[in-house]
Amino acid sequence: MQKISFEYCAMYSTDAEQLIRQTGARVTTARVQVLASLLEARCALTHQEIASRLELGYGIDRVTVYRVLEWLRREHLAHKISGDDRVWRFNAVDEEHTEQHAHFKCNCCHRVFCLNEAIRNFPIKLPAGYRAQHMELTVKGLCAECLPLNKHHKLGADKKLPCSVAKLLRT
C-alpha cells in the first residue's frame, strides 16, 4: 500500500487548499491532505486506503478521514462510489469528474476509474412522465495493467489468481 510522502504533498496540497478556500470554509490540515490524496490518485480510493496514506505522515486518524470525506462530498469536492464489495470509494471532483458519469471496476486489481465520456455519449430514453435524478453505471472488466497480454501482469503460480492476490502471495 502506498504511503504518503512529503514531496507528494507539496504537489497536490496547493490545489487542494485552493479548492477548499473556494468553498468559504476553514482550511485544515486534514481537509487539505485528504483532498490532496484524492487529487493525486489515479483511481478512486477507499476510506482505508486514504487513512493508511495519511496516518504515518500526518497522524490523521480514521474518524477524521471519514468526517473529512463526508464534508468533501457535501461540498461537491469529492464523490462517493458504491461498490459491489460493499466498500465505498471516493474520488476528487474536478473539471474532468462531472457529477454524472460512469465508472470502470477492474475485476483483477479491484481499482475503480472514472469514465466521464460514457454518460455523455450514452443517451437513455425514459418513458413519458419519468424523470431521472441520479444514475450509477459501472462497467466491469480488466484494466490495461491487468490484461494478461500486458508484460507487467503477473498471475499466481496456479495461473488462476488475479494479480492483486498474486502480489500479496509473493510478498
Side-chain angles (χ1 to χ4, degrees), residues 29-49:
T29 300
R31 288 176 178 176
V32 170
Q33 295 313 317
V34 171
L35 184 54
S37 292
L38 294 176
L39 290 169
E40 182 269 341
R42 290 184 13 224
C43 59
L45 300 174
T46 65
H47 171 268
Q48 171 70 33
E49 291 167 333

Side-chain angles (χ1 to χ4, degrees), residues 14 17-18 31 51 59 65 69 77 99 114-115 135 138 169:
T14 304
E17 186 174 333
Q18 182 181 1
R31 288 176 178 176
V65 171
L69 287 169
L77 294 174
E99 194 153 326
C114 292
L115 300 174
M135 183 172 76
T138 303
L169 295 176

Side-chain angles (χ1 to χ4, degrees), residues 9-80:
C9 294
M11 293 172 23
Y12 296 97
S13 294
T14 304
D15 291 340
E17 186 174 333
Q18 182 181 1
L19 289 168
I20 293 167
R21 282 194 195 288
Q22 290 174 357
T23 69
R26 201 176 91 203
V27 176
T28 66
T29 300
R31 288 176 178 176
V32 170
Q33 295 313 317
V34 171
L35 184 54
S37 292
L38 294 176
L39 290 169
E40 182 269 341
R42 290 184 13 224
C43 59
L45 300 174
T46 65
H47 171 268
Q48 171 70 33
E49 291 167 333
I50 297 164
S52 295
R53 289 175 174 211
L54 298 176
E55 279 177 346
L56 292 179
Y58 292 93
I60 299 171
D61 63 52
R62 296 171 193 282
V63 174
T64 302
V65 171
Y66 175 77
R67 288 179 180 149
V68 169
L69 287 169
E70 287 303 313
W71 181 84
L72 291 171
R73 197 176 63 77
R74 283 193 309 272
E75 294 296 321
H76 305 286
L77 294 174
H79 67 276
K80 191 159 104 169

Side-chain angles (χ1 to χ4, degrees), residues 55-114:
E55 279 177 346
L56 292 179
Y58 292 93
I60 299 171
D61 63 52
R62 296 171 193 282
V63 174
T64 302
V65 171
Y66 175 77
R67 288 179 180 149
V68 169
L69 287 169
E70 287 303 313
W71 181 84
L72 291 171
R73 197 176 63 77
R74 283 193 309 272
E75 294 296 321
H76 305 286
L77 294 174
H79 67 276
K80 191 159 104 169
I81 305 160
S82 62
D84 56 352
D85 57 358
R86 295 186 176 147
V87 175
W88 291 104
R89 287 172 176 79
F90 298 85
N91 211 335
V93 173
D94 57 21
E95 297 83 36
E96 294 179 13
H97 297 98
T98 60
E99 194 153 326
Q100 293 284 331
H101 62 274
H103 297 96
F104 180 90
K105 180 179 185 230
C106 180
N107 291 327
C108 191
C109 67
H110 305 290
R111 291 181 297 171
V112 177
F113 304 90
C114 292

